[in-house]
Amino acid sequence: MGVIYKLRPEIKDFIVEKKKINPIISCRGLTELIESEFKIKLSKSTINAIIKDAGLSMPIGRRLKKHKHHPKEQIVESKEPPLESPSKELVPVEKKPEQIAQPISIPKIEEPVEEIKPPQEAPETPIILPEEKPIEEKKEELPEVQIEKPEEPVIVEKQEELIPPPEPILAKEELAQPVAPEEVIEKEPEKEEISEPVVEKVVEPAILPVAREEVKKNESYEELVSTGAVLLKAADFIIGGSSIISDAIRSRIMSLDAALLAKTESAIYLPLFQGVAGGQEDDLEKLWSLVGRNVTLDAILTYLDDLQKVKPVNTDIIRIIDTSAQEVRCIKLDLSNGSILYLDGQFQTVWSTPHIPHSFNLTVNNVKGYINNYFFEEKPLILGMAPGYDSPTDEFFNFALSLDSRERKIRSLSLIADNLEEIEVIPVETARRRFFIFGLWPWQFTQSRKVSLSGEFKPYQSNVCKKELFIASLGIILSQVSGDKSLTLRGYAIKTNLNEKTRLVILSNLPIDTSPDLLIEPYLGRWPNFEEAFKDFSRKVELFTYTANSQKYFSSASADLFTVANIDIKTIFNQYLKLLDMFVKYHFLPPGSEDTDFSSMKEQFYSLKTTFKKEKGCVFIKFLTPEGYASQKLLSYACNRLNEREIIFFNGLRAWFSL
């Protein structure tokens, strides 16, 4: 073990900061960064000791038996309530032009439903938040703030209304309750396919308010040129493959090479840079920009030849890829009062059932990173929105109260796979207050809330949205319809100009004196295009409601990539590249893109010219599209999804994607 007391304080701080930024980074990976930054070599045990002292070690869960192939959804019907009645077809909801999008209420599944009935119409009840109103003991009817359409410059080509997602699964007694539409649309919207995305222009964000010691204030770097293969690198970050593969290779060949990770990435992406084999230096430089290090073609080829001589490496890498590609469909929260509720893998919202759309899956490594941040550190958990329409769901109340109450504290977190089997159980032993931030749409919970504004709307400069907003602080009391519980929350109403209605309310259980930067910026850093993100959420829920049993999903599609025996190291890396391509199609592009072949993806996206500019703790990645580029909307959609995933590149820099 290294001599910890001889370490300079800045090295310890460097290790702790890197681990906080990227929780899944390994001790070996930190060894490379320290050697590159400080020109000294530390042992893994020394680094591990520092991480443990800082309380950043990932808790070890109970691993369960892993099945190589994931059965289809209907195989588990004997264990969980079916998504729909096996003897009846699901009747699509007839969409009426008078309807506007409503949030998904996620009730408990009591029995299969034969059909979904369209919601009944209700008269429009426009409401506006009061300018100044104290919270009173007696509940009163409050005016509501309505969402207006986004400003014209934010929409690409045309402005569309939200698609009203139906209730996916309702108990019979709940079907009889009418759901009031938010407002009446005067003009009938154009009919569109479910899979067609509504894409806003990507907001190129600025800097999250996170201090990074390794980047000096106002420091900027020369702009680098690369390619759209950065989409594959983003998928690799979420999966965690190249980093874990490099650690396994280092262990097998006992290498101290600081460039080993860059060589591994170069070997994976080499087939995309066709000019490299012909000696074109400009293509080689684009590869260097992508992997963050200059690795010659001879060094890459020699590295592949050396690996081929170490046969156990092949088995290690295939096992790593198979494990890393596994996705979490949801996180089951087991509460001390016996309640069970679910969070989807991307932390969109709270659910009453594990039958969650596959579109919200996320890999095990990435989910563990979020869990470490939210449940074992001090960072607030950030949800896209609260579930429910007229009133908050019981699951939402149970979740919110479990963060504050010792009586119904969270006992364990279970990672649930696509086939609804447990992957791992993580105990939560510490009972302490935890914080969360979520978005509330102005038309939500109108019958179950009391609102008081504590001031007028004032200008606020958002670093993430890179534009001026207008915010007003407020307090809200949410009441439980089926019980006697209530939640007192604080937050901010958000406008983009003073003459419009409130677009979103960002709420939290953080202390009252929390500054706007610590509440608004983290939420916008997670959901920078919040209105477009809600439209995408609604569309995916609607699509899953109608086509769940016939849907393809990433975990099942990628299961057979490595079934061929005795494949060499080059073939393994090529298969991993195909897996990354598959991940891009399933998670960064709209539903329906999954069957696009690799050559078409390369032509449409991976061969595009991109620029990287590192500045103030972030790396800004811009796609340079040619005139008449046919896939502009798809690429814009991909940038929005990437910016929601908090991609970390190049020594801990947050990546922001734009056109």
Side-chain angles (χ1 to χ4, degrees):
M1 180 174 175
V3 184
I4 298 177
Y5 63 84
K6 289 185 179 181
L7 290 179
R8 301 199 304 273
E10 58 266 29
I11 299 178
K12 289 185 179 180
D13 294 341
F14 180 85
I15 294 170
V16 172
E17 182 66 20
K18 291 296 182 184
K19 189 66 177 177
K20 285 182 178 180
I21 293 172
N22 185 5
I24 66 174
I25 192 170
S26 65
C27 292
R28 293 190 183 93
L30 285 168
T31 300
E32 292 182 9
L33 294 179
I34 294 166
E35 186 173 0
S36 173
E37 183 76 16
F38 298 99
K39 310 304 180 187
I40 66 170
K41 181 168 180 60
L42 296 183
S43 66
K44 292 185 297 180
S45 57
T46 298
I47 294 173
N48 190 45
I50 295 172
I51 292 172
K52 285 185 177 180
D53 290 342
L56 299 178
S57 297
M58 185 66 193
I60 300 175
R62 166 168 58 86
R63 303 289 299 186
L64 299 179
K65 182 177 180 182
K66 183 182 182 305
H67 298 273
K68 183 163 184 65
H69 298 287
H70 304 299
K72 294 186 181 292
E73 183 72 21
Q74 57 266 32
I75 294 179
V76 296
E77 288 181 354
S78 60
K79 294 185 179 180
E80 296 288 341
L83 191 65
E84 55 186 273
S85 174
S87 60
K88 299 286 184 182
E89 293 185 359
L90 197 60
V91 179
V93 176
E94 179 183 354
K95 300 180 181 61
K96 299 183 179 181
E98 292 82 11
Q99 294 173 331
I100 192 168
Q102 302 166 2
I104 292 298
S105 177
I106 308 158
K108 297 179 181 178
I109 300 177
E110 297 187 3
E111 56 183 288
V113 180
E114 295 185 356
E115 63 177 8
I116 293 180
K117 300 180 180 179
Q120 301 177 10
E121 299 181 33
E124 177 185 8
T125 54
I127 53 177
I128 302 173
L129 282 173
E131 287 297 320
E132 177 106 14
K133 191 170 186 179
I135 298 177
E136 300 177 0
E137 290 297 324
K138 186 177 179 180
K139 184 175 178 180
E140 56 183 318
E141 184 176 353
L142 291 169
E144 181 194 350
V145 189
Q146 298 180 352
I147 290 181
E148 283 201 345
K149 302 174 185 177
E151 293 181 79
E152 197 65 33
V154 182
I155 303 296
V156 174
E157 295 185 1
K158 68 175 183 178
Q159 190 166 359
E160 268 181 7
E161 299 296 336
L162 305 180
I163 291 180
E167 300 285 347
I169 307 294
L170 296 179
K172 286 184 176 179
E173 62 271 15
E174 292 174 299
L175 284 171
Q177 299 178 3
V179 180
E182 167 64 6
E183 59 178 324
V184 177
I185 304 173
E186 297 180 359
K187 187 176 180 180
E188 182 174 349
E190 295 180 11
K191 188 176 181 180
E192 62 170 355
E193 296 293 331
I194 290 177
S195 61
E196 176 67 22
V198 179
V199 184
E200 296 181 0
K201 289 182 180 178
V202 181
V203 177
E204 181 181 346
I207 305 101
L208 285 177
V210 179
R212 305 189 190 282
E213 294 179 4
E214 70 271 20
V215 181
K216 297 179 181 179
K217 189 176 181 180
N218 298 324
E219 184 177 6
S220 62
Y221 299 83
E222 180 183 359
E223 195 171 72
L224 302 175
V225 176
S226 188
T227 72
V230 70
L231 293 170
L232 299 164
K233 186 176 175 71
D236 178 63
F237 168 78
I238 294 176
I239 292 174
S242 62
S243 178
I244 303 174
I245 289 170
S246 298
D247 286 347
I249 291 172
R250 188 184 302 279
S251 178
R252 280 288 184 187
I253 67 178
M254 304 298 290
S255 172
L256 300 178
D257 186 359
L260 193 140
L261 175 58
K263 289 180 180 178
T264 301
E265 290 184 321
S266 298
I268 292 169
Y269 303 127
L270 186 60
L272 293 171
F273 296 83
Q274 295 178 350
V276 175
Q280 295 184 20
E281 189 66 21
D282 59 337
D283 285 332
L284 195 59
E285 289 179 355
K286 291 173 185 176
L287 178 61
W288 295 345
S289 298
L290 185 67
V291 303
R293 200 179 189 108
N294 296 3
V295 184
T296 67
L297 179 59
D298 287 342
I300 299 171
L301 298 178
T302 301
Y303 178 63
L304 288 170
D305 289 339
D306 291 342
L307 290 182
Q308 189 58 39
K309 298 172 185 176
V310 186
K311 294 300 181 183
V313 166
N314 291 8
T315 305
D316 291 344
I317 295 175
I318 292 174
R319 176 183 50 80
I320 288 169
I321 293 173
D322 185 51
T323 302
S324 300
Q326 187 173 25
E327 290 191 310
V328 174
R329 187 168 183 180
C330 57
I331 302 104
K332 182 176 75 172
L333 278 63
D334 183 10
L335 308 186
S336 58
N337 68 343
S339 299
I340 292 177
L341 52 94
Y342 301 87
L343 298 171
D344 57 87
Q346 295 177 13
F347 294 90
Q348 297 266 1
T349 191
V350 183
W351 305 75
S352 64
T353 167
H355 294 276
I356 296 170
H358 306 290
S359 303
F360 304 145
N361 289 4
L362 205 57
T363 61
V364 172
N365 283 328
N366 220 216
V367 168
K368 282 189 174 182
Y370 285 131
I371 288 176
N372 210 33
N373 286 338
Y374 297 152
F375 292 97
F376 297 95
E377 295 183 9
E378 300 300 323
K379 296 181 180 179
L381 189 153
I382 303 171
L383 295 176
M385 61 175 287
Y389 178 70
D390 291 325
S391 60
T393 64
D394 290 341
E395 289 74 27
F396 179 71
F397 260 94
N398 279 331
F399 168 73
L401 294 173
S402 72
L403 301 180
D404 275 334
S405 172
R406 292 178 179 271
E407 298 176 359
R408 63 173 87 194
K409 70 183 185 71
I410 301 171
R411 294 191 303 188
S412 66
L413 307 169
S414 301
L415 307 186
I416 307 299
D418 257 314
N419 60 357
L420 303 184
E421 292 186 0
E422 285 184 343
I423 301 171
E424 183 174 349
V425 177
I426 302 173
V428 181
E429 298 176 353
T430 304
R432 59 177 174 81
R433 189 180 185 192
R434 295 178 172 87
F435 301 102
F436 74 114
I437 301 172
F438 67 97
L440 181 72
W441 299 103
W443 38 258
Q444 279 187 288
F445 309 157
T446 57
Q447 305 302 315
S448 306
R449 73 187 191 196
K450 290 191 289 187
V451 184
S452 67
L453 283 173
S454 58
E456 297 180 351
F457 281 88
K458 297 179 180 179
Y460 174 80
Q461 187 65 39
S462 171
N463 285 329
V464 172
C465 288
K466 208 174 181 179
K467 66 179 180 180
E468 187 177 62
L469 302 173
F470 295 88
I471 65 172
S473 60
L474 51 78
I476 286 185
I477 296 178
L478 297 179
S479 302
Q480 189 178 26
V481 173
S482 59
D484 57 354
K485 300 294 183 181
S486 65
L487 288 171
T488 301
L489 303 163
R490 296 280 175 175
Y492 295 89
I494 307 294
K495 292 183 178 183
T496 55
N497 69 70
L498 286 175
N499 297 322
E500 68 177 4
K501 304 289 177 60
T502 299
R503 289 179 178 268
L504 181 71
V505 179
I506 300 176
L507 292 173
S508 177
N509 63 340
L510 285 163
I512 296 176
D513 57 352
T514 301
S515 71
D517 284 348
L518 297 179
L519 196 156
I520 296 174
E521 295 297 89
Y523 183 88
L524 296 181
R526 188 73 169 82
W527 310 100
N529 296 290
F530 51 85
E531 288 175 319
E532 189 271 344
F534 173 69
K535 294 175 186 178
D536 184 63
F537 171 87
S538 302
R539 185 172 294 102
K540 287 175 177 176
V541 171
E542 182 183 25
L543 180 64
F544 180 76
T545 302
Y546 296 137
T547 64
N549 288 339
S550 61
Q551 271 191 343
K552 299 177 182 177
Y553 48 93
F554 173 75
S555 296
S556 61
S558 62
D560 298 327
L561 279 177
F562 296 92
T563 55
V564 180
N566 300 320
I567 54 178
D568 60 22
I569 190 66
K570 292 182 181 179
T571 304
I572 292 175
F573 282 155
N574 285 340
Q575 291 295 89
Y576 182 60
L577 187 63
K578 291 180 181 179
L579 184 138
L580 296 180
D581 169 66
M582 195 176 297
F583 191 93
V584 169
K585 291 182 289 192
Y586 275 87
H587 286 293
F588 300 158
L589 295 177
S593 306
E594 300 86 5
D595 294 328
T596 308
D597 59 51
F598 186 86
S599 60
S600 297
M601 290 293 293
K602 181 180 177 182
E603 181 181 354
Q604 285 181 272
F605 305 109
Y606 306 148
S607 297
L608 287 175
K609 183 179 179 180
T610 59
T611 59
F612 301 167
K613 188 173 183 181
K614 302 176 185 178
E615 186 176 346
K616 298 181 181 179
C618 296
V619 54
F620 296 94
I621 299 170
K622 182 171 290 188
F623 292 87
L624 307 179
T625 58
E627 186 176 354
Y629 178 61
S631 302
Q632 191 87 2
K633 292 181 70 173
L634 294 177
L635 187 56
S636 179
Y637 178 94
C639 289
N640 287 334
R641 302 289 79 77
L642 285 161
N643 289 336
E644 293 167 359
R645 299 279 73 82
E646 298 184 286
I647 308 296
I648 306 296
F649 285 158
F650 310 119
N651 295 339
L653 302 181
R654 168 74 184 267
W656 291 102
F657 298 81
S658 66
L659 302 184

